[in-house]
Amino acid sequence: MTTFTFGDAASRIDLEDWGPLAEATGPEMATSGATVWKDEASGAESGIWVCTPGPSYWSLETNEFVHVLAGSMTVTEDGGSPVELAAGDTVVFPVGWKGTWEIHETLRKLYVIY
C-alpha cells in the first residue's frame, strides 16, 4: 500500500483550474484544486479545493469531510441555523445534506469525499 504525502496544502499554488462552480446560485464562482488520492472503485477521494466568494446550493450524494485552511463561509442546512466556518474549522457533511454555502472570502479546504 502506498502512503500519500501532501506538503504545505495551505499555500500550495500548483493547483488545476477546475472551472466555474456548478452549484453557484449567483455570480460565477471560480474553482481550482488538486486531487491527492482517488479510489476508482468506491469513488472516494481527497485533495485541496479552492473557490472564490459567492452563494451556492448543495445536495450531497456522498459524505464529505472538510478542514478549512483559509477563507470563511456560512453554511446553512435546509431548515437549520447558519454555521460560520473559518480557517482551522473542521466539519462533516453527511450524505443527503442539503443547504447553502455562502463563501465570504476565497475558501481553501482539504476535503475527503467518501
Side-chain angles (χ1 to χ4, degrees):
M1 181 172 283
T2 302
T3 300
F4 295 89
T5 303
F6 208 56
D8 201 13
S11 61
R12 189 171 177 150
I13 60 172
D14 61 334
L15 305 177
E16 300 172 12
D17 179 358
W18 287 359
L21 181 66
E23 293 82 3
T25 58
E28 185 174 286
M29 299 165 70
T31 64
S32 59
T35 302
V36 178
W37 170 85
K38 186 168 188 170
D39 179 62
E40 297 297 333
S42 69
E45 71 175 68
S46 63
I48 297 173
W49 183 77
V50 177
C51 186
T52 57
S56 56
Y57 185 82
W58 298 82
S59 179
L60 299 183
E61 297 177 3
T62 60
N63 297 297
E64 183 173 1
F65 168 93
V66 169
H67 179 75
V68 179
L69 297 170
S72 65
M73 68 177 172
T74 303
V75 298
T76 308
E77 185 172 8
D78 286 354
S81 299
V83 176
E84 302 294 324
L85 298 172
D89 291 335
T90 302
V91 62
V92 174
F93 296 98
V95 65
W97 189 94
K98 294 180 181 183
T100 59
W101 289 15
E102 177 70 39
I103 298 176
H104 306 297
E105 54 188 318
T106 297
L107 189 80
R108 178 182 287 250
K109 69 178 185 178
L110 292 175
Y111 70 88
V112 178
I113 296 172
Y114 57 101

